[in-house]
Amino acid sequence: MATPKALVMAGVVPPRVDRTALGLGLMVVTVVFFTMIDTSAKWLVTAGLPALQVVFARYAMHFVLALVVFMPQGGPSLFRSQRPKVQFLRSIFLFLSTILNFTALKFLPITVTTTIMFAGPIVVTLLAIPMLGEKVGRHRLVAVCVGFLGVIVVMQPWGLAFHPAMLLNIGALCMASLYFILTRKLAGIESNATSQLWSAGLASACLAPFAMSTWVWPHGAVDWTFFLLIGIFGGTAHILAVAAHRLADASILAPVIYIQIVLAGVSGIIFFDTWPTVWTLGGGAIIIAAGIYIWHRERQLSRTVTPVNIHARGPMNH
C-alpha cells in the first residue's frame, strides 16, 4: 500500500502546504469581496438609494447565487432546517446588522465602520459566556477591555469628530456578534447551503415590501455596477470563506480578516477621497491587537483542553 508521502509525491494527493496556501489565498479574496460590499453600499446610499433597498439588493442577489450554486446538488430539501428557530433568529440578526451598518455608511467613512466592526471577536468572547457556557479567563477579559478602549478611541465621544451614526454601527456590531454566536450553535448541525439559503432568502422576503415601496432606480453606470454586484460580492464571499476553511485551519485563517482595514483605507481614498484619521488608525491598532491576543489565547487553549472540555466550551467554528 502506498504511503501518504508517496501519494503526495505522485501527485495523487496535494501536499498540505499547497492546500493551506490555497486556503489563505481564497481567504484574502474573501476579504477583498467583503470590503467591496461596504464600498458598494456606501456608494449607493450616498448616491440617494434608500438603505433598505440596498440591503434588499445585497441579499436578493446573494439568494439567487445560492440557489444557482447549491440547488442543483441538494434540491428543495436544502431548505429543511434541523433548528429552524435558531436559523430564523440567526438570519434576523444578520440582516439587522446589515441595515444598521449600511445606514451608518451614509454618514461615516468606510474605515470607521470597518474598524468598529473589527470589535466583533471581542463582543463574541463576552457573549459566549452566557450563551455558549464558555469560560473566559482573566487574560481574555483584559483583552476585551482593551478592545473596547480601542472602540472608544475610534468613536471619540468627547470631541467634535463623534457622529451619532456611530451608535448605529455599535448596534450593527452587536447584531453581527449575536449572528456569529448562533452560527457557532449550528456548527455541525446545519449545512452551509441551508444556512446561506435561509439567511439570504429570509432577508430578501422580509425586506422586499419595504424596498419596493420606496424604490429608487440607480442613475449612472457606476451606480448600476455597484447595485448589480453588491449581492454577488456578498454571496461569493461567503462561498469562498467556506471553501477556505475546508482547505486550511480556522486558526491559520483568522488573522487574515485584519487586512480589511488596509483595504477599507484604500477603498476610501480611491472611491470617496477620504483618508483615515490618526484616531481611526490608533483605535484600529488597539482593537486588532486585542482581537489577535484573544485569538492567540483561544488557540493555546484548544491545544491543551481535552476533547470533552472542548465540547463543554461550545462549538469553536466560525
Side-chain angles (χ1 to χ4, degrees):
M1 180 180 293
T3 64
K5 183 177 181 179
L7 291 173
V8 169
M9 294 296 291
V12 177
V13 178
R16 180 64 182 176
V17 65
D18 289 345
R19 290 171 57 86
T20 300
L22 179 58
L24 286 168
L26 290 178
M27 197 63 191
V28 170
V29 177
T30 298
V31 176
V32 172
F33 281 167
F34 279 141
T35 305
M36 290 309 299
I37 295 173
D38 286 349
T39 302
S40 303
K42 182 169 180 61
W43 183 279
L44 293 170
V45 296
T46 53
L49 272 67
L52 286 180
Q53 179 183 330
V54 177
V55 178
F56 170 74
R58 179 257 183 273
Y59 284 109
M61 290 298 295
H62 183 170
F63 183 57
V64 171
L65 182 62
L67 288 174
V68 171
V69 172
F70 298 120
M71 289 297 285
Q73 297 176 343
S77 63
L78 291 176
F79 285 96
R80 189 177 303 115
S81 173
Q82 303 298 318
R83 301 282 298 277
K85 291 182 180 179
V86 178
Q87 277 287 13
F88 178 81
L89 286 175
R90 173 182 174 275
S91 301
I92 294 295
F93 287 141
L94 178 60
F95 81 73
L96 285 178
S97 173
T98 307
I99 291 172
L100 293 170
N101 187 44
F102 284 10
T103 304
L105 278 166
K106 185 174 183 178
F107 307 98
L108 302 174
I110 189 173
T111 48
V112 172
T113 59
T114 300
T115 302
I116 291 175
M117 293 300 288
F118 272 155
I122 298 166
V123 179
V124 169
T125 299
L126 281 182
L127 291 177
I129 300 174
M131 296 185 68
L132 298 177
E134 294 190 5
K135 295 181 179 179
V136 177
R138 64 179 183 275
H139 293 91
R140 280 188 288 171
L141 286 177
V142 170
V144 166
C145 295
V146 172
F148 284 127
L149 174 63
V151 173
I152 293 174
V153 170
V154 174
M155 295 178 65
Q156 300 178 67
W158 57 80
L160 296 176
F162 175 77
H163 194 289
M166 292 179 180
L167 298 178
L168 295 175
N169 217 197
I170 293 295
L173 169 65
C174 294
M175 294 295 103
S177 299
L178 289 168
Y179 159 79
F180 284 120
I181 287 289
L182 295 185
T183 298
R184 288 169 66 170
K185 277 183 172 289
L186 293 173
I189 300 174
E190 296 277 56
S191 69
N192 170 55
T194 298
S195 292
Q196 288 207 42
L197 288 169
W198 267 71
S199 58
L202 188 62
S204 301
C206 291
L207 293 173
F210 302 99
M212 297 301 178
S213 65
T214 58
W215 191 267
V216 177
W217 290 107
H219 300 292
V222 179
D223 293 2
W224 271 106
T225 300
F226 281 129
F227 185 74
L228 295 174
L229 289 181
I230 187 170
I232 296 176
F233 287 141
T236 305
H238 281 277
I239 293 171
L240 290 180
V242 173
H245 282 80
R246 288 175 178 168
L247 295 170
D249 293 338
S251 60
I252 296 175
L253 297 176
V256 176
I257 192 68
Y258 291 113
I259 68 173
Q260 189 173 352
I261 187 62
V262 178
L263 297 174
V266 172
S267 175
I269 295 169
I270 293 175
F271 292 101
F272 309 106
D273 195 26
T274 57
W275 292 74
T277 66
V278 172
W279 291 99
T280 301
L281 293 175
I286 295 172
I287 294 170
I288 291 172
I292 289 178
Y293 183 78
I294 290 172
W295 160 78
H296 174 68
R297 290 292 299 178
E298 289 184 346
R299 191 178 183 188
Q300 284 185 323
L301 290 171
S302 68
R303 291 174 175 176
T304 57
V305 296
T306 64
V308 174
N309 287 334
I310 291 176
H311 179 76
R313 293 177 70 244
M316 298 297 293
N317 305 68
H318 291 274

